[in-house]
């Protein structure tokens, strides 16, 4: 195996000087190093296609860009790659992780894993599969190839080629401290107005536990990643829809539920990264104003499920954006008691409701969802 910092060094040595993307745990150690690059720190993009757009702008302005993404994000960025990078001929290195490699992975990765090389072939993007032995050659090849062809090329990263887990815990602790510092805890003079009350105090698990208390038989649609898993560990029920893929779409599913059954409350347990990937949903909710939608966002200011990379929510009050978009009620809370009473109030009144729960980046060791996607689907639908 090769370390994350060795990969980062290879990239910078070959002149890559603009890094962006959406994280995948297979390259968490690489991103952890790139986030601390002095000259050009990794830019957290809200979607993979936005990252491809950023890279286009960076190349036009004289940089040598690299986008890091999970292969699920190849789907998200197909159009940006086809009708921006490939059409204009904008050089770019896409580092794509290969989840679902050899059919061994969580269900959401299997199909995309099987067709990852074909997607690149269909797009006409040359690629190499990274190996620890050939890594230096692979990066040199990519740098040369994208310049001579004037187009995007890819390096595909299978599991167990780049070390992972080295940066995970430290990053969470470091970012919690940084969050407190930036939010002005103990330093009211530097706190942005109104933000001092939003110092994270509880873990996401404590927040999910509190939010679950007032919920009876109402359906909950969970965003992918640890939000699903921690809520499952608090208590499983057929009315829990566990989104194990399709990052960003839990809110859309919840909106669909309330549009189809307007009298029934529907709760969404979202993450900041998930919401940012589908930010336009706020405008749809604001425009459609479904009365019984309760949109709860557990905002730990990081992509917790993939290694605690900083998320853009750090600098944005998501609750204020929701208020501006037209939600009926908007609350921002930081304690378990406030979380419980905000969700209780939302369930008992007309909305649409938005509850922002600021949480720490702490993560609990919880099991994966044991059900197949079809089981999740069938018991959830029957419960409605
Ligand atoms: C299109 C796509 N890109 C990347 C991923 C990898 N991924 C899975 S969960 C996750 C982080 C979710 O972040 P957030 O919504 O903030 O929840 P948290 O894990 O922090 O609780 C990411 C990046 C994915 N599943 N799909």
């Amino acid at each position: 195996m090769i370390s994350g910092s060795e990969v980062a060094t290879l990239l910078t040595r070959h002149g890559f000087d603009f890094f962006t993307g959406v994280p995948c745990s297979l390259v968490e150690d690489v991103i952890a190093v790139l986030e601390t690059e002095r000259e050009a720190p990794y830019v957290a993009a809200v979607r993979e296609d936005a990252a491809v757009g950023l890279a286009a702008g960076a190349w036009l302005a004289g940089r040598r860009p690299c986008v890091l993404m999970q292969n699920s994000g190849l789907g998200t960025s197909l159009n940006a790659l086809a009708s921006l990078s490939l059409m204009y001929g904008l050089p770019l290195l896409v580092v794509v992780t290969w989840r679902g490699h050899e059919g061994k992975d969580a269900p959401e990765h299997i199909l995309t894993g099987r067709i990852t090389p074909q997607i690149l072939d269909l797009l006409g993007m040359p690629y190499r599969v990274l190996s620890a032995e050939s890594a230096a050659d692979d990066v040199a090849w990519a740098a040369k190839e994208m310049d001579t062809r004037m187009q995007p090329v890819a390096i595909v990263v299978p599991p167990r080629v780049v070390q992972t887990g080295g940066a995970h815990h430290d990053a969470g602790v470091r970012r919690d401290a940084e969050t407190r510092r930036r939010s002005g805890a103990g330093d009211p003079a530097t706190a942005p107005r109104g933000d001092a009350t939003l110092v994270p105090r509880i873990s996401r698990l404590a927040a999910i536990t509190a939010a679950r208390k007032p919920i009876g038989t109402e359906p909950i649609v969970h965003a992918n990643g640890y939000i699903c898993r921690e809520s499952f560990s608090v208590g499983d029920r057929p009315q829990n829809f566990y989104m194990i893929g399709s990052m960003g779409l839990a809110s859309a599913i919840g909106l669909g539920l309330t549009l189809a059954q307007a009298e029934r409350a529907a709760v969404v347990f979202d993450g900041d990264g998930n919401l940012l990937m589908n930010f336009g949903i706020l405008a749809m909710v604001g425009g459609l104003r479904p009365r019984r939608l309760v949109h709860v966002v557990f905002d730990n200011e990081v992509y917790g499920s993939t290694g605690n990379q900083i998320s853009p929510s750090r600098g944005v009050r998501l609750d204020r954006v929701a208020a501006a978009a037209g939600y009926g009620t908007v609350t921002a809370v930081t304690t378990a008691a406030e979380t419980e009473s905000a969700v209780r109030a939302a369930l008992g009144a007309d909305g649409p409701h938005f509850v922002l729960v600021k949480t720490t980046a702490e993560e609990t060791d919880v099991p994966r969802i044991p059900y197949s996607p079809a089981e999740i689907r069938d018991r959830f639908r029957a419960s409605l």
Side-chain angles (χ1 to χ4, degrees), residues 197-198 201 210 331-344 355:
T197 53
L198 287 192
R201 290 167 212 279
T331 331
V333 297
T334 60
T335 68
E338 288 169 351
T339 305
E340 185 181 337
S341 63
V343 173
R344 179 168 288 113
V355 180

Side-chain angles (χ1 to χ4, degrees), residues 182-262:
R182 290 209 207 170
S183 60
D187 185 8
T190 58
R193 260 180 56 197
D195 284 5
T197 53
L198 287 192
V199 180
R201 290 167 212 279
I202 53 172
S203 66
R204 182 185 45 212
L205 179 65
I208 289 174
T209 307
R212 286 281 302 265
K213 280 193 185 147
I215 298 172
T217 56
E218 293 88 355
I220 308 175
V221 184
H222 296 77
N224 70 334
Y226 266 76
I227 289 175
C228 270
R229 294 167 60 169
E230 289 185 350
S231 184
F232 173 81
S233 79
V234 170
D236 181 34
R237 60 211 260 287
Q239 299 93 337
N240 280 3
F241 191 78
Y242 303 113
M243 277 296 309
I244 52 177
S246 285
M247 183 171 167
L249 291 189
S251 51
I253 299 169
L255 178 57
L257 284 179
T258 56
L259 294 179
Q261 297 192 357

Side-chain angles (χ1 to χ4, degrees), residues 74 77-78 81-82 86 118-125 151:
L74 258 187
S77 45
L78 269 188
L81 288 168
L86 285 154
Q118 285 102 309
I119 295 176
L120 293 167
D121 284 339
L122 282 172
L123 279 168
M125 270 174 65
Q151 69 155 89

